Amino acid sequence: MRAYISSLCFLLIVSMKLEASEPQDIVIVVNKNNPIEQVTHRQLIDMYMGKYLAFPNGHMAITLDYRKEHPLRSAFFKALTGRNISQINAYWSRVKFSGKASPPQAYPSTEAIIDKVITTPSAIAYLPASAVTDELKVVYRFVQ
Amino acid sequence: MLILSLSTFAFSVVYAKIYYHHVFDTELKRLESTVRQISQTVSSTASIAAYLEDKDLANEVVNGLVSNDIILSAALTNKQTVLAKSILYKDQGALPFYLPNPFILQENIGIIYVVPNTLYIEQNARDSAFSSVQTLLVVVLPMLLLFAVLALFLISRPLGHLSKQLASVLPGSAQRIYVDPLNDQNEIGKIGKDINVMLANTETLFEQERSLRVEVEKLEKRFRLMFERSSSPTVLVKEHGEVILVNDAAKDLLAGMGIDSEERFPENLGQFCKTPDILYTFTENSIKLKQVMQSEFEFTNPLTLSSVWLSLIILNTKSDGQWYFQVFLADITARKTMLNQLSHRAQRDSLTSLYNRYGAELTLMEWIDSETQFSLLLIDLDKFKPVNDIYGHNAGDEVLKQIAKRLAQLVPNTELVSRWGGDEFVVAIKDVNIVKVNHMAQQVLDEINTSITYEKNGHRIELNVSASIGIAHFPMHADSLKGLVECADVAMYSVKKTSKNNFTIYST
């Protein structure tokens, strides 16, 4: 029985790993109360790359990101800018030096991001499509 | 040698100039491409600065650019505003580099303007080109110098030596030039040998020429001798009368007439010619028609004042495009005199020396031809036959001689007196009226009636004759000589039949 459970667990882990490594849709979410219904790809770039810290309607926006080691980050920036993560990191290290713009706040996991979006009306973040809940509003969807 | 040095120098200068420009251009292009590369290098940072409108970052980019020697100034703009520019920046001469959006590559979001430091770049290029040329000249000049020196010793000197030798060679002589054994196998040696072959040919040609000239001289001498010793006086004249050659016979002839043989032809002869106009026309025609012409002219020898007859033959010859006239002279005075004497004899009566009938007829024919009016007196002696019969023929001859003498004295030279035949005389007088004719007829009768003294065997005998004279006038009575004589004859017979010792004019 124990052997059966452990083998089941192993299968689960393997299946989870397989699921994680597969390409998956990434969506942009905001607080449910945010009046914004959708954003454009371009507006997303400008917000995430530090050009504008506001929604298209002029309200301030707080961009949320994952920590450097998070696997979703690389996929997101690739989808957003067409560049790999090392180029994005180089960009930020150059921009931070002059102090004009600063990178988004970094969080360790999707759960932490979801909590932050739910509690912050001006937050904007990206999630795997599968992680979206009813308390979030999807404003953009990257199609793989 | 000078030309060689000069051309070497000129080549160096031209080549250095071309090389200088080449290096200068290459250097200029290289520096411009460097400017491009530097601008390319900063373009990603510049894109970010333009994207974020980050003036600090933009300044950093611009300062970085300007810190290069080859960039004078720079500016960075995004679509609306100038984000940064260096102090000296001006639009003029700025090279634009378009900046893409760092995340959306198709979109241009700004421009970097870079002004190259043209002065610096050019100075740099110039320095670089100059040092290249210096290096080149350091290599090339000694090489050219070496080449020039080698050319001097291997080509110019030996050629000069050959030319000096050649200048001292007398053409046609047996002299040859010396070919250095060192040059035996090269072009200089070949030239020397060729020159010697040419000299040998020249010598042969000269030899032939010389022997030919000797031949020609020999021939010329013979011809000259023939011409000069010829007994026929000959003068060679150029087209305009210049006398070129006069042989000995001609010299003698001309000298005998007091003519300088150097004088121009035909004036030299014309001055003493009795008919110079005819002589000049004759020579002119001969020269014009280029034909052989012959004629005879009478001259007065100024030394002896005697008459000289010369025969002239003019022969035209063309030689080397120039016309020459050979004038053959011949003194024909003796022949002419003889002919005159013969003619005189034929026309004269040997007894009385008056014109005979033939001579008289010639003169009268001339008068008739020239339509000269004249009266003809036909004189027939009466009682002449008895003189012959009684006193002999000598007495008769004496009568005729005496009467002829008296008539010749009575009638002027310009008129005609002749013995017509036997005891008949004819006197003709030009341009006379009837009174004068009658007077003349009377005078003739008087002369004839005068007694003639004849000596025979120591006895003086007085002989008396008379005459019947018939007169006819040309052209009143007849227009031909025959007719005129017939008229005179008719008139004379009418006298003879009636009174005798009288005269009458022909009447129809």
Side-chain angles (χ1 to χ4, degrees):
Chain A
M1 188 64 197
R2 270 187 70 181
Y4 175 72
I5 289 168
S6 64
S7 67
L8 195 73
C9 279
F10 175 71
L11 272 173
L12 252 172
I13 288 164
V14 167
S15 67
M16 272 178 72
K17 282 239 165 162
L18 280 172
E19 205 177 22
S21 67
E22 266 180 17
Q24 51 186 324
D25 284 358
I26 295 173
V27 293
I28 303 297
V29 294
V30 293
N31 187 286
K32 225 178 171 175
N33 299 319
N34 197 318
I36 293 295
E37 291 302 326
Q38 59 179 22
V39 291
T40 63
H41 189 156
R42 192 188 175 84
Q43 284 161 349
L44 271 180
I45 292 174
D46 286 347
M47 282 189 282
Y48 266 90
M49 298 319 291
K51 189 169 166 71
Y52 302 122
L53 292 177
F55 287 105
N57 60 10
H59 293 291
M60 201 191 74
I62 296 166
T63 47
L64 308 180
D65 195 1
Y66 300 86
R67 289 209 178 131
K68 270 186 186 165
E69 61 281 0
H70 199 280
L72 192 60
R73 199 168 168 259
S74 140
F76 169 70
F77 279 104
K78 185 77 181 171
L80 184 71
T81 64
R83 297 182 180 255
N84 57 42
I85 199 68
S86 59
Q87 284 174 310
I88 298 297
N89 291 341
Y91 169 80
W92 280 119
S93 60
R94 215 174 290 165
V95 172
K96 269 192 280 185
F97 184 75
S98 72
K100 156 87 182 175
S102 42
Q105 295 172 19
Y107 292 86
S109 63
T110 44
E111 291 75 22
I113 291 286
I114 290 168
D115 283 348
K116 185 66 182 173
V117 174
I118 290 168
T119 54
T120 316
S122 59
I124 181 165
Y126 59 92
L127 291 171
S130 55
V132 176
T133 65
D134 291 344
E135 290 150 298
L136 297 170
K137 190 201 277 186
V138 174
V139 292
Y140 188 82
R141 180 182 290 269
F142 289 100
V143 181
Q144 290 294 319
Chain B
M1 190 54 214
L2 184 69
I3 290 171
L4 195 65
S5 314
L6 280 179
S7 55
T8 304
F9 180 71
F11 172 77
S12 315
V13 168
V14 170
Y15 187 72
K17 196 149 176 84
I18 292 169
Y19 188 65
Y20 175 87
H21 281 290
H22 174 72
V23 172
F24 181 80
D25 288 346
T26 313
E27 195 63 13
L28 210 61
K29 274 187 197 131
R30 194 179 68 76
L31 288 169
E32 275 169 7
S33 128
T34 307
V35 168
R36 223 169 280 276
Q37 279 169 11
I38 291 170
S39 309
Q40 214 63 50
T41 312
V42 300
S43 76
S44 75
T45 311
S47 290
I48 294 167
Y51 176 69
L52 295 176
E53 298 176 16
D54 184 341
K55 291 191 175 170
D56 292 336
L57 193 58
N59 267 322
E60 200 183 308
V61 168
V62 166
N63 288 338
L65 284 174
V66 172
S67 69
N68 283 290
D69 286 337
I70 57 171
I71 293 169
L72 183 66
S73 61
L76 203 165
T77 65
N78 72 354
K79 286 221 162 131
Q80 296 83 31
T81 52
V82 178
L83 296 174
K85 72 178 179 187
S86 64
I87 358 166
L88 297 169
Y89 179 75
K90 271 179 197 152
D91 281 334
Q92 204 181 1
L95 303 170
F97 296 96
Y98 293 94
L99 299 173
N101 185 314
F103 308 106
I104 305 167
L105 286 177
Q106 308 90 295
E107 187 191 15
N108 276 323
I109 51 164
I111 301 170
I112 297 186
Y113 291 102
V114 178
V115 181
N117 190 344
T118 323
L119 282 179
Y120 176 81
I121 290 172
E122 282 180 3
Q123 184 58 47
N124 238 14
R126 213 171 285 134
D127 289 350
S128 172
F130 187 68
S131 78
S132 295
V133 166
Q134 268 181 329
T135 317
L136 176 83
L137 288 184
V138 164
V139 176
V140 165
L141 273 183
M143 236 168 71
L144 289 176
L145 202 66
L146 184 68
F147 172 72
V149 169
L150 282 177
L152 173 67
F153 281 102
L154 294 180
I155 300 165
S156 299
R157 280 264 177 92
L159 276 180
H161 189 57
L162 280 183
S163 123
K164 206 190 262 176
Q165 283 194 76
L166 189 57
S168 68
V169 169
L170 194 68
S173 71
Q175 265 177 289
R176 296 289 180 271
I177 64 172
Y178 171 71
V179 179
D180 196 321
L182 283 175
N183 288 325
D184 197 49
Q185 294 305 314
N186 63 20
E187 286 82 355
I188 303 280
K190 186 161 166 23
I191 291 173
K193 284 179 212 159
D194 286 350
I195 287 174
N196 278 340
V197 170
M198 196 191 75
L199 285 175
N201 287 342
T202 313
E203 193 188 350
T204 316
L205 279 176
F206 265 65
E207 216 41 65
Q208 287 170 354
E209 192 83 4
R210 234 173 258 149
S211 62
L212 265 176
R213 203 187 306 146
V214 169
E215 282 288 306
V216 167
E217 272 169 12
K218 222 188 275 173
L219 270 175
E220 197 187 326
K221 210 179 264 176
R222 279 185 208 155
F223 281 124
R224 194 169 273 277
L225 214 62
M226 267 173 68
F227 172 77
E228 281 178 352
R229 294 293 154 80
S230 165
S231 57
S232 164
T234 309
V235 179
L236 190 66
V237 180
K238 263 194 186 170
E239 201 161 1
H240 299 293
E242 191 189 327
V243 175
I244 304 169
L245 284 173
V246 183
N247 72 358
D248 292 346
K251 272 181 199 155
D252 289 349
L253 176 71
L254 293 174
M257 290 178 69
I259 296 170
D260 183 356
S261 56
E262 301 290 311
E263 261 186 275
R264 292 174 75 83
F265 177 86
E267 287 80 0
N268 55 354
L269 293 174
Q271 57 186 329
F272 302 122
C273 186
K274 286 191 174 164
T275 52
D277 296 346
I278 301 173
L279 175 70
Y280 292 152
T281 314
F282 165 74
T283 51
E284 244 170 63
N285 282 343
S286 166
I287 289 165
K288 216 183 284 170
L289 302 173
K290 311 272 187 264
Q291 280 177 355
V292 184
M293 289 179 77
Q294 193 274 334
S295 193
E296 294 167 359
F297 296 95
E298 190 179 10
F299 298 86
T300 306
N301 186 330
L303 306 175
T304 61
L305 297 177
S306 60
S307 175
V308 178
W309 280 87
L310 294 183
S311 154
L312 261 73
I313 298 173
I314 301 184
L315 207 89
N316 300 275
T317 33
K318 199 177 189 180
S319 171
D320 297 335
Q322 167 84 42
W323 280 97
Y324 294 94
F325 305 101
Q326 252 176 295
V327 182
F328 297 98
L329 301 170
D331 188 344
I332 53 162
T333 313
R335 200 179 79 205
K336 209 68 179 171
T337 311
M338 205 173 76
L339 281 175
N340 277 346
Q341 278 172 357
L342 280 174
S343 150
H344 190 262
R345 240 176 261 165
Q347 292 176 33
R348 293 288 167 167
D349 172 42
S350 55
L351 181 70
T352 60
S353 290
L354 293 179
Y355 276 116
N356 58 19
R357 182 168 176 162
Y358 170 66
E361 276 174 348
L362 284 182
T363 308
L364 292 175
M365 288 300 286
E366 260 177 50
W367 290 5
I368 289 170
D369 286 347
S370 60
E371 296 180 350
T372 311
Q373 295 195 11
F374 65 92
S375 295
L376 184 141
L377 289 71
L378 180 64
I379 304 158
D380 191 88
L381 297 184
D382 307 324
K383 302 178 282 182
F384 179 69
K385 205 173 171 316
V387 174
N388 255 348
D389 293 346
I390 298 165
Y391 303 103
H393 284 287
N394 284 346
D397 286 353
E398 187 58 30
V399 168
L400 293 173
K401 268 170 64 176
Q402 281 290 329
I403 290 173
K405 201 175 166 188
R406 289 177 196 169
L407 290 179
Q409 278 173 356
L410 174 68
V411 177
N413 279 342
T414 54
E415 314 305 319
L416 174 80
V417 181
S418 65
R419 186 180 169 203
W420 198 249
D423 56 352
E424 272 184 336
F425 292 89
V426 161
V427 169
I429 302 147
K430 289 173 282 186
D431 301 323
V432 283
N433 56 27
I434 192 157
V435 180
K436 277 192 180 168
V437 169
N438 285 340
H439 181 66
M440 174 57 75
Q442 188 55 57
Q443 279 181 307
V444 168
L445 274 186
D446 290 347
E447 289 293 343
I448 291 171
N449 287 339
T450 308
S451 322
I452 295 154
T453 310
Y454 174 66
E455 273 188 34
K456 193 185 178 185
N457 307 327
H459 300 283
R460 282 170 147 262
I461 306 159
E462 296 287 324
L463 300 172
N464 288 300
V465 286
S466 67
S468 300
I469 302 174
I471 302 169
H473 186 269
F474 172 83
M476 202 166 72
H477 297 133
D479 54 6
S480 70
L481 182 56
K482 195 172 169 251
L484 198 65
V485 171
E486 274 171 11
C487 290
D489 209 38
V490 168
M492 188 271 286
Y493 266 102
S494 70
V495 174
K496 190 113 359 226
K497 275 180 205 159
T498 53
S499 57
K500 292 190 177 162
N501 200 26
N502 207 346
F503 60 87
T504 186
I505 294 175
Y506 173 77
S507 62
T508 45

